[in-house]
């Protein structure tokens, strides 16, 4: 196979080598042989370094197929490559796991650990615990159910005003400034879920059962422990989250409710405020960025140049020059937005669907925060050390959203104050929501026998406890029955991956609070924090960077206190 390298001019002209499974397998096998037959530690270490190289190549090939396919899902070449990649990727990861496991058996393990660090070896051990060949048929069943959920929701067609739309496309109508449009669109959207309630409930029930079976086969009591291990959580567990949840309930819930109360007052619908009104912050609609997509990119360049021309500014320019952005919505393009790091090219790629809302600006800050971290971590030799685990990852991106606040007038002009208030308020209201997504799953997996109806009832109970404004959801029968969770794909596709966003958010709020006193010091600390990537486990990283753990009191009390003060001082009048 032809090798990809970082010396390329334009991303669009980089050819993807077609992956050949036989060739890939023999490459991994010959590395395993070299590792196991090594006559001294240097030989073993040499084989591991070549393994890193091969992993980078494979990761980049699969990522490029994913990116090109998402940019134009109708392109047959990338449709075919996606099918190829779907079928060979699980096998390639099994070769990779086999090599990692061979490291644990190597006679030179102590020297290997000394050379590459204990953390990586611990990560391999944890990964090993979550897998055994006998569970392969169950994993296949789990994947099949995940695809079934994805296909059912991804293929949904909702009829609205004479046209058919996907669930994602309905979003723009549900957030319309025109109340009658958002009310009708929301009723149609939730109507689809209500019509498919039994099917989604059935898929989830099968998922819970198969995940429980996998957990038991691997020697876990239930799926909760396995779910945490799958997330790679080395130094914290469900007990830490218990304490965290209590802090959220005590300090964040009241502040979030206050934000909702003030929002209701501004909107002026009083007791008639409906569930579909809460995405709208101001009577005149939410602030929108000024300028066409190219102008927004040029403004982002100016912003990063003034913030930090040597690192952020220079890197943003390099990404732009190499064609690492695909930002504008177009026909055939997949929904959503993401950042994807391509290790063999040593560059990240940013994908989004600009739609004229403030989300467009959030992409240029959020996804660029991820990209900048990827760049700062790219010199790490061990791939696992380049980026952190999920509970830290989003700190890099969300902090950048806050650290760029002083430059937001470039994008929002007279509406800047309103944008900042809305953005910060949404960060707070998100925390209780993110917390119940995790609490719900913990209950479900520790009570695998309960019915779909009982699961929904438990979701509704959590909603009313952590998101009291959702009493207003009672006007929609499906939402009143606790069906909202059915749209939260993580619950189906990435169990226990969600509370992470909220933990990251609290850390990002810490960077924001620091920046209010001293923007330069906050930004420098952010760069140092991001540069550490995944070189330390969660608690050790916080200790090293002198950050308070969001899960331990009184962090949330202090953080919400400061944010409440800021919000009070910046409360918009209309
Ligand atoms: Zn992100």
């Amino acid at each position: 196979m032809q090798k990809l390298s970082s010396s390329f001019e334009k991303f669009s002209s980089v050819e993807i080598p077609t992956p050949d499974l036989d060739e890939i397998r023999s490459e991994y096998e010959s590395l395993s042989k070299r590792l196991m037959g090594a006559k001294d530690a240097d030989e073993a270490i040499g084989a591991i370094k070549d393994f890193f190289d091969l992993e980078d190549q494979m990761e980049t090939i699969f990522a490029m197929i994913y990116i090109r396919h998402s940019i134009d899902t109708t392109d047959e070449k990338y449709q075919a490559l996606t099918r190829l990649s779907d079928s060979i990727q699980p096998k390639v990861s099994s070769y990779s796991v086999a090599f990692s496991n061979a490291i644990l058996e190597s006679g030179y393990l102590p020297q290997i650990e000394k050379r590459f660090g204990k953390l990586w070896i611990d990560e391999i051990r944890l990964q090993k615990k979550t897998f055994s060949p006998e569970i392969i048929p169950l994993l296949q069943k789990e994947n099949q159910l995940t695809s079934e959920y994805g296909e059912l929701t991804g293929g949904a067609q909702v009829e609205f005003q004479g046209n058919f739309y996907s669930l994602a496309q309905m979003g723009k109508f549900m957030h319309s400034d025109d109340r009658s449009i958002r009310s009708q669109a929301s009723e149609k959207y939730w109507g689809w879920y209500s019509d498919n309630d039994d099917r989604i409930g059935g898929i989830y029930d099968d998922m819970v059962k198969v995940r429980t079976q996998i957990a038991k086969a691997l020697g876990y009591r239930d799926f909760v422990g396995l779910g945490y291990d799958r997330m790679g959580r080395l130094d914290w567990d469900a007990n830490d989250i218990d304490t965290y949840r209590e802090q959220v309930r005590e300090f964040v819930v009241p502040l979030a409710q206050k934000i909702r109360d003030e929002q209701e007052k501004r909107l002026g619908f009083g007791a008639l405020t409906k569930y579909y009104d809460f995405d709208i912050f101001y009577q005149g609609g939410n602030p929108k960025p000024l300028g066409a997509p190219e102008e927004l990119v040029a403004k982002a360049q100016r912003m990063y140049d003034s913030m930090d021309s040597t690192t952020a500014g220079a890197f943003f320019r390099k990404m732009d020059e190499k064609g690492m952005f695909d930002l504008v919505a177009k026909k055939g393009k997949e929904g959503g937005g993401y950042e994807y790091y391509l290790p063999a090219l040593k560059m990240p790629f940013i994908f989004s669907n600009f739609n004229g809302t403030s989300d467009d600006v959030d992409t240029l800050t959020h996804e660029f925060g991820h990209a900048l971290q990827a760049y700062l971590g790219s010199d790490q030799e061990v791939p696992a050390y380049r980026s952190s685990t999920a509970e830290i990852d989003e700190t890099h991106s969300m902090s950048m959203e806050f650290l760029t606040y002083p430059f937001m007038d470039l994008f929002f002009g007279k509406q800047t104050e309103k944008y900042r208030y809305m953005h910060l308020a949404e960060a707070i209201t998100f925390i209780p929501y993110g917390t119940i997504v995790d609490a719900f799953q913990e209950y479900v997996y520790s009570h695998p026998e309960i019915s779909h109806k009982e699961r929904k009832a438990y979701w509704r109970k959590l909603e009313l406890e952590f998101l009291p404004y959702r009493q207003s959801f009672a006007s929609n029968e499906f939402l009143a029955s606790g069906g909202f969770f059915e749209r939260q794909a993580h619950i189906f596709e990435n169990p226990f991956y969600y509370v992470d966003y909220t933990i990251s958010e609290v850390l990002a709020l810490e960077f924001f609070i620091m920046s209010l006193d001293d923007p330069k010091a906050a930004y420098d600390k952010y760069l140092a924090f991001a540069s550490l990537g995944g070189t330390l486990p969660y608690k050790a990283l916080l200790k090293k960077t002198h950050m308070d753990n969001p899960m331990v009191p009184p962090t949330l009390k202090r953080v919400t206190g400061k944010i409440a003060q800021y919000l009070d001082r910046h409360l918009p009048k209309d």
Side-chain angles (χ1 to χ4, degrees):
M1 251 176 348
Q2 204 199 324
K3 270 193 144 194
L4 293 163
S5 91
S6 59
S7 57
F8 67 98
E9 272 175 31
K10 284 269 178 203
F11 177 70
S12 56
S13 52
V14 180
E15 275 291 324
I16 307 179
T18 305
D20 177 299
L21 190 61
D22 287 332
E23 206 183 314
I24 296 167
R25 185 178 50 228
S26 80
E27 284 195 43
Y28 276 99
E29 280 173 1
S30 82
L31 286 175
S32 292
K33 274 196 203 117
R34 271 175 59 199
L35 174 68
M36 289 183 297
K39 283 186 229 36
D40 54 40
D42 283 346
E43 269 186 46
I45 286 165
I48 293 173
K49 284 162 99 176
D50 288 343
F51 166 72
F52 291 157
D53 239 16
L54 178 60
E55 292 271 284
D56 282 352
Q57 290 290 324
M58 295 318 306
E59 164 89 22
T60 307
I61 289 173
F62 290 129
M64 284 182 72
I65 294 173
Y66 179 83
I67 293 168
R68 297 259 169 91
H69 176 67
S70 63
I71 291 172
D72 184 0
T73 54
T74 64
D75 186 323
E76 286 171 16
K77 179 179 169 189
Y78 295 107
Q79 283 177 349
L81 278 172
T82 301
R83 279 194 296 275
L84 177 69
S85 141
D86 280 351
S87 75
I88 69 173
Q89 229 177 336
K91 288 176 189 145
V92 175
S93 43
S94 74
Y95 309 148
S96 165
V97 169
F99 183 91
S100 302
N101 288 342
I103 294 173
L104 300 180
E105 306 302 320
S106 166
Y108 304 107
L109 184 61
Q111 291 94 321
I112 293 169
E113 190 172 304
K114 188 154 178 267
R115 174 70 173 72
F116 299 109
K118 182 175 177 295
L119 176 60
W120 179 50
I121 303 299
D122 285 346
E123 285 168 357
I124 297 174
R125 285 204 180 94
L126 189 62
Q127 181 193 48
K128 197 176 173 205
K129 230 177 109 187
T130 65
F131 179 80
S132 119
E134 59 169 302
I135 64 163
I136 289 177
L138 296 171
L139 290 176
Q140 283 166 336
K141 174 103 204 293
E142 187 188 4
N143 283 339
Q144 193 192 319
L145 289 164
T146 308
S147 305
E148 213 179 305
Y149 172 80
E151 279 160 24
L152 178 63
T153 51
Q157 290 284 310
V158 182
E159 197 194 345
F160 183 62
Q161 297 184 330
N163 284 311
F164 283 94
Y165 298 97
S166 68
L167 292 168
Q169 284 171 324
M170 288 300 287
K172 69 169 184 279
F173 304 113
M174 290 159 72
H175 303 150
S176 170
D177 291 344
D178 181 331
R179 196 175 190 217
S180 86
I181 292 181
R182 68 174 182 267
S183 130
Q184 288 168 45
S186 302
E187 288 292 303
K188 287 275 185 184
Y189 177 91
W190 290 113
W192 184 88
Y193 277 98
S194 174
D195 292 344
N196 289 277
D197 188 21
D198 287 345
R199 245 191 102 187
I200 297 177
I203 294 173
Y204 194 48
D205 193 58
D206 289 345
M207 274 179 175
V208 172
K209 298 220 153 84
V210 78
R211 283 178 182 146
T212 303
Q213 241 180 309
I214 294 172
K216 293 210 152 108
L218 291 169
Y220 292 86
R221 188 184 59 199
D222 54 37
F223 183 73
V224 180
L226 174 57
Y228 273 64
D229 284 351
R230 276 187 179 181
M231 288 299 300
R233 289 168 186 171
L234 279 167
D235 58 357
W236 61 277
D237 59 25
N239 293 319
D240 297 272
I241 283 296
D242 259 359
T243 320
Y244 175 69
R245 238 177 249 146
E246 282 318 305
Q247 307 298 302
V248 170
R249 191 202 306 269
E250 196 175 344
F251 302 108
V252 189
V253 170
L255 178 57
Q257 185 55 36
K258 185 166 176 263
I259 290 168
R260 294 305 188 191
D261 289 342
E262 281 157 355
Q263 185 181 3
E264 271 194 61
K265 244 186 270 164
R266 271 195 314 274
L267 289 176
F269 303 125
L272 295 174
T273 314
K274 290 289 201 299
Y275 71 91
Y276 45 77
D277 291 323
F278 286 100
D279 286 324
I280 308 296
F281 261 75
Y282 308 106
Q283 255 188 31
N286 292 345
K288 293 174 184 62
L290 311 161
E294 311 75 59
E295 291 171 67
L296 298 186
V297 174
K299 284 174 179 181
Q301 181 69 64
R302 262 163 64 200
M303 169 174 81
Y304 290 121
D305 281 338
S306 2
M307 210 170 140
D308 159 28
S309 60
T310 45
T311 308
F315 188 62
F316 192 89
R317 184 167 289 108
K318 195 170 168 195
M319 281 186 72
D320 197 19
E321 281 166 4
K322 288 192 173 262
M324 308 310 290
F325 295 118
D326 195 294
L327 303 174
V328 183
K330 53 194 164 216
K331 203 165 181 276
K333 192 169 167 175
E334 223 170 72
Y338 62 77
E339 175 271 344
Y340 213 142
Y341 180 62
L342 304 158
L345 305 186
K346 283 203 148 208
M347 282 301 268
F349 188 86
I350 292 181
F351 173 100
S352 78
N353 279 279
F354 275 11
N355 58 6
T357 69
S358 60
D359 290 350
D360 301 356
V361 176
D362 297 343
T363 297
L364 290 168
T365 54
H366 182 104
E367 304 302 347
F368 184 68
H370 283 308
L372 187 62
Q373 190 285 320
Y375 164 69
L376 294 169
S378 63
D379 284 335
Q380 289 292 338
E381 182 182 27
V382 181
Y385 293 164
R386 290 181 200 142
S387 62
S388 44
T389 36
E391 74 280 31
I392 290 289
D393 279 344
E394 296 298 326
T395 305
H396 308 131
S397 48
M398 291 171 168
S399 301
M400 189 59 107
E401 296 176 36
F402 292 120
L403 295 171
T404 50
Y405 266 22
F407 305 93
M408 283 299 120
D409 49 340
L410 277 170
F411 300 98
F412 295 101
K414 287 193 190 105
Q415 305 254 61
T416 304
E417 277 285 305
K418 281 189 171 177
Y419 168 77
R420 287 196 199 111
Y421 175 87
M422 174 177 84
H423 180 268
L424 186 59
E426 282 181 332
I428 292 296
T429 55
F430 173 72
I431 294 172
Y433 175 73
T435 306
I436 69 168
V437 169
D438 172 271
F440 172 70
Q441 296 182 80
E442 193 177 311
Y443 184 79
V444 166
Y445 288 113
S446 47
H447 301 82
E449 69 294 339
I450 63 172
S451 69
H452 179 50
K453 210 176 149 198
E454 288 168 308
R455 287 184 191 127
K456 282 166 75 185
Y458 190 74
W459 173 268
R460 186 64 181 148
K461 177 175 164 306
L462 285 171
E463 256 181 4
L464 292 173
E465 253 175 69
F466 282 80
L467 306 158
Y469 80 96
R470 288 199 174 185
Q471 272 151 3
S472 63
F473 282 25
S475 63
N476 179 293
E477 203 185 321
F478 178 71
L479 292 175
S481 74
F484 189 97
F485 83 87
E486 294 180 26
R487 65 153 288 180
Q488 188 59 60
H490 294 73
I491 291 176
F492 299 82
E493 294 167 352
N494 304 92
F496 290 106
Y497 177 25
Y498 211 76
V499 77
D500 306 70
Y501 288 101
T502 76
I503 296 165
S504 288
E505 183 94 78
V506 178
L507 291 173
L509 290 170
E510 296 265 36
F511 280 109
F512 172 61
I513 293 166
M514 281 180 243
S515 77
L516 294 174
D517 288 335
D518 188 343
K520 169 91 172 67
Y523 180 70
D524 288 345
K525 184 164 176 160
Y526 164 79
L527 286 183
F529 181 86
S531 302
L532 286 168
T535 54
L536 292 165
Y538 176 70
K539 284 181 180 166
L541 177 66
L542 294 183
K543 203 166 167 205
K544 168 129 189 173
T545 51
H546 308 286
M547 301 281 288
D548 288 340
N549 186 344
M551 293 184 247
V552 177
T555 306
L556 267 179
K557 183 180 180 188
R558 178 177 52 74
V559 170
T560 44
K562 291 267 185 196
I563 300 297
Q565 281 172 13
Y566 181 96
L567 288 171
D568 271 347
R569 280 202 308 271
H570 295 82
L571 186 66
K573 281 165 207 65
D574 57 334

